Amino acid sequence: MRATLLFLLALWPSLLLALPTELPAPGGVAILGLGQADERPQATFNDEQVAVLPGENGWKALVGLPLSLEPGDHRIEVAWADGRRSWHRFTVQDREYGESRITIAEERLVSPGPEDMKRIEAERARIREALRTWTNAAPDFNFVLPTEGRFTTGFGLRRYINDQPRNPHNGLDIAAPTGTPIHAPSPGRVILTGDFFFAGKSVFLDHGHGVISFYAHMNDIHVQDGQSVERGEQIGEIGATGRVTGPHLHWTIYLNRTAVDPTLFFER
């Protein structure tokens, strides 16, 4: 059994180097030890498959925790290759987020009309499909920042646009001049590109096991759907497309189709 895990670790050396910072709170990541077995088990949380990766002392589950998750006791369900099922409990702590207020001059970007809503719903369907991507590629959690710039709007802030409440901010905004290069923070594959109503010119990267990153408001996209990229490879340029107040990168990381705090994935 241990020999099998050591073999997997030899294939996936990045797992020995880094994992996201654990933060068992809404918008964070829970890392749960599952124990040892010859074959990788499957784990689910809220009916979504979660990443299960080999560690030195057995399998580990990496669980993305929604911003809407209530603090308290939760659990994941694990299905083992031999037919067993087990449940692993963890406690979610409370986490307070501030608020962000912005003003958008173009009313259409705040309250879209019927034709715009048709486009928005079609785009949301494409994005939902991209976020369902699951590949067995080994995610490399040695993430680097995708661009140089100033951190502006942080993850999880309650959003008010023209004083109207909106969904919490599900990414990290990095402000920089138009044309500033945006690089892949880790190896991945391009699973969706497009010019979206709210997000503007955008790229989605699949890093494996449900780890997906999203880059919005680009001025220009330098990659194509299906393309593989290496860490540090340029995927686009910072811009001000979509619903913005100025040029910046909006960067989101998803685990099990759940947006989590990107600052947990790199050293500050």
Side-chain angles (χ1 to χ4, degrees):
M1 182 182 299
R2 183 166 177 80
T4 301
L5 285 171
L6 290 174
F7 173 73
L8 287 168
L9 287 168
L11 291 178
W12 292 1
S14 63
L15 296 177
L16 293 174
L17 299 176
L19 284 176
T21 300
E22 184 173 19
L23 178 65
V29 178
I31 302 177
L32 307 178
L34 305 182
Q36 296 187 353
D38 284 340
E39 296 185 42
R40 178 169 62 87
Q42 289 192 351
T44 57
F45 178 64
N46 288 346
D47 298 322
E48 295 289 347
Q49 187 173 358
V50 304
V52 176
L53 307 172
E56 290 182 324
N57 298 312
W59 299 99
K60 292 182 179 295
L62 275 64
V63 188
L65 306 177
L67 278 166
S68 59
L69 192 65
E70 290 292 330
D73 292 334
H74 296 270
R75 68 180 188 175
I76 63 171
E77 182 177 358
V78 180
W80 300 87
D82 61 7
R84 290 181 298 121
R85 290 188 176 272
S86 59
W87 289 263
H88 297 255
R89 296 183 180 277
F90 61 99
T91 300
V92 173
Q93 307 161 358
D94 195 9
R95 186 185 187 189
E96 292 295 326
Y97 292 97
E99 66 176 45
S100 167
R101 294 180 179 269
I102 62 173
T103 300
I104 301 293
E106 188 174 351
E107 183 61 26
R108 172 174 168 243
L109 293 174
V110 181
S111 301
E115 289 303 312
D116 289 329
M117 286 305 303
K118 290 181 182 179
R119 172 186 170 185
I120 290 166
E121 288 304 319
E123 292 173 352
R124 285 174 176 167
R126 293 175 63 200
I127 292 170
R128 285 194 297 269
E129 185 64 26
L131 295 179
R132 291 190 184 99
T133 300
W134 185 277
T135 59
N136 287 325
D140 184 340
F141 288 111
N142 286 293
F143 274 50
V144 297
L145 278 172
T147 193
E148 296 182 357
R150 177 173 56 90
F151 292 0
T152 53
T153 307
F155 175 86
L157 299 181
R158 300 187 301 275
R159 295 301 300 269
Y160 294 85
I161 301 178
N162 295 6
D163 291 326
Q164 299 178 32
R166 292 292 189 265
N167 290 330
H169 192 241
N170 71 348
L172 173 65
D173 286 353
I174 305 174
T178 296
T180 301
I182 300 170
H183 304 279
S186 180
R189 181 177 63 89
V190 180
I191 54 173
L192 179 62
T193 62
D195 190 351
F196 301 100
F197 185 84
F198 289 126
K201 295 180 180 179
S202 302
V203 171
F204 289 79
L205 297 181
D206 167 35
H207 303 280
H209 281 258
V211 182
I212 294 172
S213 56
F214 167 53
Y215 310 80
H217 308 306
M218 291 182 173
N219 183 61
D220 193 23
I221 295 172
H222 289 199
V223 291
Q224 301 178 19
D225 291 6
Q227 179 179 338
S228 294
V229 295
E230 297 299 325
R231 181 190 293 105
E233 185 172 343
Q234 186 171 355
I235 61 174
E237 302 171 2
I238 280 183
T241 57
R243 185 168 67 184
V244 297
T245 58
H248 73 280
L249 169 66
H250 172 94
W251 181 33
T252 298
I253 296 178
Y254 294 91
L255 285 178
N256 46 274
R257 296 179 62 195
T258 297
V260 296
D261 190 344
T263 63
L264 303 176
F265 288 75
F266 62 89
E267 293 186 6
R268 301 184 63 177

